[in-house]
Amino acid sequence: MDWKRDQHREFVQGLCRITEHAGPTLRERIAELLCLGLRCFVADLALVSRIEGECYHIEYVEGENCGGPQLSRGQRWRLSQTLAQPTWRSQHLHISRDIPMPLPKLCAGLAPQGYLAAPIKVSNTPFGVLEFLRYQPAQQDLGVCDGEALRLLSAWIGSEITRTSQETVLRRVNHRLMRQALTDPLTGLANRRAMFSHLRREANRLYREHREGCIALIDIDFFKRFNDTHGHQQGDIALRMISKAMKHVLRDFDFLARYGGEEFLLWLPEQKLSVALTVCERIRDKVASLTLFPEKLSVSIGVATLALTHQTDVSRDIDAAIAAADAQLFIAKAAGRNCIRAIEGH
């Protein structure tokens, strides 16, 4: 049986090659592993299933069912309608030329000449079953080496699914942490860190395209007095509701951030000052019309254009625009609040 051992050695070498050079997606990697199994076991059909309760989900399929039902990823069968049930129940290998009769629905009308199955575990938990069916007589009998190769292939596939699942979870966690790091937890708006990062990207883009934009600083009038009178819990509610009201009147590509305390920064890309003033007036009017608080609240707004003059240091231009908007905000407050003041350039 030296040829069997040689074949097993070639199989293991094939696994190593797939690991080193397989496609970037899990589906591509498992497809290559199943095709390797089809060649090794001289089989016609390869299946990877995910089993939940009594439901058999086809996750991956390679080869042909040779006249039986057309099988594809996403199909569901009752576990009892498949050949996988004994393997799933026992969590042991199954290798046989004798297929139990009557055939289950998944193989109805066929005459399999051989069947190999192995349980698949993902993160050490039963996941599903790896199956190979042979429909044509073959000179190669099923034997011990097939069991070793089948066990190894099953473990390899389980490892690939585990690794991909862990990478997916890690990406989700990293994405959530990044969102938390860049989001103000109270209002759900961008925080200062995200704000400056966004403004630098935007300023670099506008510099290359020779365009302009406007920055507005928005401050809730008499907010400290509101907090002292009604409590910080009511103050937090007010901040959330005003943030929501402001976002409601903005376009998708406008950018609103919590600048600090009761102050917000609004970035209006590629907008002239006249358009920015119209947007800010909608914000001022929207906040003034809110009736959900114990008393009326309003906002004062200072607006300035972002003049891009420092190609190598756009942060300097951003700081200058924010300072100009802040100066206009001071003027708006001195003028009686609940109003807008602006400057063209700075």
Short mmCIF file of all heavy atoms in Angstrom, two decimals, residues 283-327:
data_model
loop_
_atom_site.label_atom_id
_atom_site.label_comp_id
_atom_site.label_asym_id
_atom_site.label_seq_id
_atom_site.Cartn_x
_atom_site.Cartn_y
_atom_site.Cartn_z
N ILE A 283 -30.96 76.20 11.35
CA ILE A 283 -30.62 75.62 12.65
C ILE A 283 -31.13 76.51 13.78
O ILE A 283 -31.75 76.02 14.73
CB ILE A 283 -29.08 75.44 12.76
CG1 ILE A 283 -28.62 74.30 11.86
CG2 ILE A 283 -28.67 75.19 14.21
CD1 ILE A 283 -27.13 74.11 11.81
N ARG A 284 -30.86 77.80 13.69
CA ARG A 284 -31.31 78.72 14.74
C ARG A 284 -32.83 78.66 14.91
O ARG A 284 -33.34 78.58 16.03
CB ARG A 284 -30.86 80.15 14.39
CG ARG A 284 -31.07 81.16 15.52
CD ARG A 284 -31.21 82.56 15.00
NE ARG A 284 -32.37 82.69 14.12
CZ ARG A 284 -33.62 82.79 14.55
NH1 ARG A 284 -33.89 82.76 15.84
NH2 ARG A 284 -34.63 82.90 13.69
N ASP A 285 -33.54 78.65 13.78
CA ASP A 285 -35.00 78.62 13.83
C ASP A 285 -35.51 77.29 14.38
O ASP A 285 -36.47 77.25 15.15
CB ASP A 285 -35.55 78.86 12.42
CG ASP A 285 -37.07 78.95 12.41
OD1 ASP A 285 -37.62 79.88 13.01
OD2 ASP A 285 -37.71 78.05 11.80
N LYS A 286 -34.85 76.19 14.01
CA LYS A 286 -35.28 74.87 14.48
C LYS A 286 -35.14 74.75 15.99
O LYS A 286 -36.05 74.25 16.68
CB LYS A 286 -34.43 73.79 13.79
CG LYS A 286 -34.83 72.36 14.11
CD LYS A 286 -36.11 71.97 13.42
CE LYS A 286 -36.42 70.49 13.60
NZ LYS A 286 -37.70 70.10 12.96
N VAL A 287 -34.00 75.19 16.52
CA VAL A 287 -33.79 75.11 17.96
C VAL A 287 -34.77 76.02 18.70
O VAL A 287 -35.36 75.63 19.72
CB VAL A 287 -32.33 75.49 18.31
CG1 VAL A 287 -32.15 75.55 19.83
CG2 VAL A 287 -31.36 74.48 17.71
N ALA A 288 -34.99 77.22 18.17
CA ALA A 288 -35.90 78.16 18.83
C ALA A 288 -37.33 77.64 18.87
O ALA A 288 -38.12 78.04 19.75
CB ALA A 288 -35.85 79.51 18.11
N SER A 289 -37.68 76.76 17.95
CA SER A 289 -39.06 76.24 17.89
C SER A 289 -39.28 75.02 18.76
O SER A 289 -40.41 74.53 18.88
CB SER A 289 -39.43 75.91 16.44
OG SER A 289 -38.66 74.81 15.96
N LEU A 290 -38.21 74.46 19.36
CA LEU A 290 -38.36 73.28 20.20
C LEU A 290 -39.16 73.62 21.46
O LEU A 290 -38.94 74.66 22.09
CB LEU A 290 -36.98 72.73 20.60
CG LEU A 290 -36.13 72.14 19.46
CD1 LEU A 290 -34.75 71.76 19.98
CD2 LEU A 290 -36.81 70.92 18.84
N THR A 291 -40.05 72.73 21.83
CA THR A 291 -40.93 72.98 23.00
C THR A 291 -40.86 71.84 24.00
O THR A 291 -41.78 71.66 24.80
CB THR A 291 -42.38 73.16 22.53
OG1 THR A 291 -42.80 71.97 21.82
CG2 THR A 291 -42.53 74.37 21.62
N LEU A 292 -39.78 71.08 23.98
CA LEU A 292 -39.70 69.89 24.83
C LEU A 292 -39.03 70.18 26.16
O LEU A 292 -38.90 69.28 26.99
CB LEU A 292 -38.93 68.79 24.11
CG LEU A 292 -39.53 68.34 22.76
CD1 LEU A 292 -38.61 67.35 22.09
CD2 LEU A 292 -40.89 67.71 22.98
N PHE A 293 -38.57 71.39 26.39
CA PHE A 293 -37.80 71.71 27.58
C PHE A 293 -38.63 72.55 28.55
O PHE A 293 -39.63 73.16 28.17
CB PHE A 293 -36.52 72.46 27.19
CG PHE A 293 -35.75 71.79 26.09
CD1 PHE A 293 -35.40 72.49 24.95
CD2 PHE A 293 -35.41 70.44 26.17
CE1 PHE A 293 -34.71 71.87 23.93
CE2 PHE A 293 -34.72 69.82 25.15
CZ PHE A 293 -34.37 70.53 24.02
N PRO A 294 -38.20 72.63 29.82
CA PRO A 294 -38.94 73.45 30.80
C PRO A 294 -39.00 74.92 30.42
O PRO A 294 -39.89 75.64 30.87
CB PRO A 294 -38.12 73.26 32.09
CG PRO A 294 -37.41 71.96 31.90
CD PRO A 294 -37.11 71.88 30.44
N GLU A 295 -38.05 75.37 29.59
CA GLU A 295 -38.08 76.75 29.12
C GLU A 295 -37.50 76.79 27.70
O GLU A 295 -36.86 75.85 27.25
CB GLU A 295 -37.26 77.66 30.03
CG GLU A 295 -35.78 77.32 30.08
CD GLU A 295 -35.02 78.20 31.05
OE1 GLU A 295 -35.16 77.99 32.27
OE2 GLU A 295 -34.29 79.07 30.56
N LYS A 296 -37.74 77.88 27.01
CA LYS A 296 -37.26 78.01 25.64
C LYS A 296 -35.73 78.08 25.62
O LYS A 296 -35.12 78.73 26.48
CB LYS A 296 -37.82 79.29 25.00
CG LYS A 296 -39.28 79.18 24.59
CD LYS A 296 -39.40 78.44 23.26
CE LYS A 296 -40.81 78.52 22.72
NZ LYS A 296 -40.93 77.83 21.41
N LEU A 297 -35.14 77.43 24.65
CA LEU A 297 -33.70 77.51 24.45
C LEU A 297 -33.42 78.08 23.07
O LEU A 297 -34.24 77.93 22.14
CB LEU A 297 -33.04 76.13 24.60
CG LEU A 297 -32.94 75.61 26.04
CD1 LEU A 297 -32.43 74.17 26.04
CD2 LEU A 297 -32.03 76.49 26.87
N SER A 298 -32.26 78.68 22.91
CA SER A 298 -31.87 79.24 21.62
C SER A 298 -30.37 79.06 21.43
O SER A 298 -29.66 78.67 22.37
CB SER A 298 -32.22 80.73 21.54
OG SER A 298 -31.51 81.46 22.53
N VAL A 299 -29.89 79.34 20.24
CA VAL A 299 -28.46 79.24 19.96
C VAL A 299 -27.97 80.52 19.31
O VAL A 299 -28.71 81.19 18.58
CB VAL A 299 -28.13 78.04 19.05
CG1 VAL A 299 -28.42 76.72 19.75
CG2 VAL A 299 -28.88 78.11 17.73
N SER A 300 -26.72 80.84 19.59
CA SER A 300 -26.00 81.90 18.89
C SER A 300 -24.96 81.25 18.01
O SER A 300 -24.37 80.22 18.37
CB SER A 300 -25.33 82.85 19.89
OG SER A 300 -26.29 83.46 20.73
N ILE A 301 -24.73 81.84 16.82
CA ILE A 301 -23.87 81.20 15.84
C ILE A 301 -22.89 82.21 15.25
O ILE A 301 -23.28 83.32 14.88
CB ILE A 301 -24.70 80.57 14.69
CG1 ILE A 301 -25.75 79.61 15.26
CG2 ILE A 301 -23.80 79.85 13.70
CD1 ILE A 301 -26.69 79.03 14.22
N GLY A 302 -21.62 81.81 15.17
CA GLY A 302 -20.61 82.60 14.48
C GLY A 302 -20.09 81.81 13.30
O GLY A 302 -19.80 80.62 13.41
N VAL A 303 -19.96 82.47 12.14
CA VAL A 303 -19.60 81.78 10.89
C VAL A 303 -18.39 82.46 10.26
O VAL A 303 -18.28 83.70 10.26
CB VAL A 303 -20.77 81.78 9.89
CG1 VAL A 303 -20.46 80.86 8.71
CG2 VAL A 303 -22.06 81.36 10.57
N ALA A 304 -17.49 81.66 9.69
CA ALA A 304 -16.34 82.19 8.95
C ALA A 304 -16.01 81.24 7.81
O ALA A 304 -16.26 80.04 7.88
CB ALA A 304 -15.13 82.35 9.87
N THR A 305 -15.45 81.80 6.75
CA THR A 305 -14.99 80.96 5.64
C THR A 305 -13.61 80.39 5.98
O THR A 305 -12.84 81.01 6.72
CB THR A 305 -14.91 81.75 4.33
OG1 THR A 305 -14.08 82.89 4.54
CG2 THR A 305 -16.28 82.17 3.85
N LEU A 306 -13.33 79.21 5.44
CA LEU A 306 -12.02 78.59 5.61
C LEU A 306 -11.16 78.97 4.41
O LEU A 306 -11.36 78.47 3.30
CB LEU A 306 -12.15 77.07 5.72
CG LEU A 306 -10.84 76.27 5.76
CD1 LEU A 306 -9.98 76.70 6.95
CD2 LEU A 306 -11.13 74.78 5.85
N ALA A 307 -10.21 79.88 4.64
CA ALA A 307 -9.30 80.31 3.57
C ALA A 307 -8.05 79.43 3.61
O ALA A 307 -7.32 79.43 4.60
CB ALA A 307 -8.93 81.77 3.76
N LEU A 308 -7.83 78.66 2.55
CA LEU A 308 -6.72 77.70 2.53
C LEU A 308 -5.49 78.35 1.90
O LEU A 308 -5.44 78.58 0.69
CB LEU A 308 -7.14 76.45 1.75
CG LEU A 308 -8.29 75.69 2.42
CD1 LEU A 308 -8.93 74.71 1.47
CD2 LEU A 308 -7.79 74.97 3.66
N THR A 309 -4.50 78.64 2.73
CA THR A 309 -3.29 79.32 2.25
C THR A 309 -2.03 78.53 2.53
O THR A 309 -1.00 78.79 1.91
CB THR A 309 -3.17 80.70 2.91
OG1 THR A 309 -3.11 80.52 4.34
CG2 THR A 309 -4.35 81.59 2.56
N HIS A 310 -2.07 77.58 3.45
CA HIS A 310 -0.87 76.83 3.84
C HIS A 310 -0.99 75.37 3.37
O HIS A 310 -1.58 74.54 4.06
CB HIS A 310 -0.67 76.87 5.36
CG HIS A 310 -0.46 78.24 5.90
ND1 HIS A 310 -1.49 79.07 6.27
CD2 HIS A 310 0.69 78.93 6.12
CE1 HIS A 310 -1.00 80.21 6.70
NE2 HIS A 310 0.31 80.16 6.62
N GLN A 311 -0.43 75.10 2.22
CA GLN A 311 -0.53 73.74 1.67
C GLN A 311 0.11 72.72 2.59
O GLN A 311 -0.38 71.61 2.74
CB GLN A 311 0.13 73.68 0.29
CG GLN A 311 0.05 72.30 -0.35
CD GLN A 311 0.73 72.26 -1.71
OE1 GLN A 311 1.41 73.19 -2.09
NE2 GLN A 311 0.54 71.18 -2.44
N THR A 312 1.22 73.09 3.22
CA THR A 312 1.95 72.11 4.05
C THR A 312 1.46 72.09 5.49
O THR A 312 1.89 71.25 6.27
CB THR A 312 3.46 72.43 4.03
OG1 THR A 312 3.65 73.78 4.51
CG2 THR A 312 4.02 72.30 2.63
N ASP A 313 0.57 73.01 5.85
CA ASP A 313 0.09 73.06 7.24
C ASP A 313 -1.35 73.58 7.26
O ASP A 313 -1.61 74.72 7.66
CB ASP A 313 1.00 73.94 8.09
CG ASP A 313 0.63 73.87 9.58
OD1 ASP A 313 -0.18 73.00 9.94
OD2 ASP A 313 1.15 74.70 10.35
N VAL A 314 -2.28 72.73 6.80
CA VAL A 314 -3.68 73.17 6.77
C VAL A 314 -4.23 73.37 8.17
O VAL A 314 -5.21 74.07 8.35
CB VAL A 314 -4.55 72.15 6.00
CG1 VAL A 314 -4.15 72.09 4.53
CG2 VAL A 314 -4.49 70.77 6.64
N SER A 315 -3.59 72.75 9.18
CA SER A 315 -4.07 72.92 10.55
C SER A 315 -4.05 74.39 10.95
O SER A 315 -4.89 74.85 11.72
CB SER A 315 -3.20 72.11 11.52
OG SER A 315 -3.34 70.72 11.28
N ARG A 316 -3.06 75.14 10.42
CA ARG A 316 -2.98 76.57 10.73
C ARG A 316 -4.20 77.31 10.18
O ARG A 316 -4.78 78.17 10.83
CB ARG A 316 -1.69 77.16 10.17
CG ARG A 316 -1.39 78.56 10.67
CD ARG A 316 -0.15 79.14 10.00
NE ARG A 316 1.00 78.26 10.14
CZ ARG A 316 2.20 78.54 9.61
NH1 ARG A 316 2.38 79.66 8.90
NH2 ARG A 316 3.22 77.72 9.77
N ASP A 317 -4.60 76.94 8.96
CA ASP A 317 -5.78 77.56 8.36
C ASP A 317 -7.04 77.18 9.13
O ASP A 317 -7.95 78.02 9.32
CB ASP A 317 -5.93 77.14 6.90
CG ASP A 317 -4.84 77.74 6.02
OD1 ASP A 317 -4.35 78.83 6.35
OD2 ASP A 317 -4.49 77.10 5.01
N ILE A 318 -7.13 75.92 9.56
CA ILE A 318 -8.30 75.48 10.32
C ILE A 318 -8.40 76.23 11.63
O ILE A 318 -9.47 76.73 12.00
CB ILE A 318 -8.22 73.95 10.57
CG1 ILE A 318 -8.37 73.19 9.24
CG2 ILE A 318 -9.29 73.51 11.57
CD1 ILE A 318 -8.04 71.72 9.34
N ASP A 319 -7.28 76.34 12.34
CA ASP A 319 -7.28 77.07 13.62
C ASP A 319 -7.69 78.53 13.41
O ASP A 319 -8.45 79.10 14.22
CB ASP A 319 -5.89 77.01 14.26
CG ASP A 319 -5.55 75.62 14.77
OD1 ASP A 319 -6.48 74.81 14.94
OD2 ASP A 319 -4.35 75.35 14.98
N ALA A 320 -7.22 79.13 12.31
CA ALA A 320 -7.56 80.53 12.03
C ALA A 320 -9.05 80.68 11.75
O ALA A 320 -9.70 81.64 12.21
CB ALA A 320 -6.73 81.04 10.85
N ALA A 321 -9.62 79.73 11.01
CA ALA A 321 -11.06 79.79 10.69
C ALA A 321 -11.90 79.60 11.95
O ALA A 321 -12.91 80.29 12.15
CB ALA A 321 -11.41 78.75 9.65
N ILE A 322 -11.48 78.68 12.82
CA ILE A 322 -12.22 78.46 14.07
C ILE A 322 -12.15 79.71 14.95
O ILE A 322 -13.14 80.13 15.55
CB ILE A 322 -11.68 77.22 14.81
CG1 ILE A 322 -12.01 75.95 14.01
CG2 ILE A 322 -12.28 77.13 16.21
CD1 ILE A 322 -11.41 74.68 14.60
N ALA A 323 -10.96 80.32 15.01
CA ALA A 323 -10.81 81.54 15.81
C ALA A 323 -11.69 82.67 15.26
O ALA A 323 -12.30 83.43 16.02
CB ALA A 323 -9.34 81.97 15.82
N ALA A 324 -11.77 82.77 13.92
CA ALA A 324 -12.62 83.80 13.31
C ALA A 324 -14.09 83.54 13.59
O ALA A 324 -14.85 84.48 13.91
CB ALA A 324 -12.36 83.83 11.80
N ALA A 325 -14.51 82.26 13.51
CA ALA A 325 -15.90 81.93 13.83
C ALA A 325 -16.21 82.19 15.30
O ALA A 325 -17.29 82.67 15.65
CB ALA A 325 -16.18 80.47 13.47
N ASP A 326 -15.23 81.91 16.17
CA ASP A 326 -15.41 82.15 17.60
C ASP A 326 -15.57 83.65 17.89
O ASP A 326 -16.39 84.05 18.73
CB ASP A 326 -14.22 81.58 18.36
CG ASP A 326 -14.47 81.52 19.86
OD1 ASP A 326 -15.59 81.14 20.26
OD2 ASP A 326 -13.55 81.85 20.63
N ALA A 327 -14.81 84.47 17.17
CA ALA A 327 -14.94 85.92 17.34
C ALA A 327 -16.33 86.40 16.92
O ALA A 327 -16.94 87.25 17.58
CB ALA A 327 -13.85 86.63 16.52
#
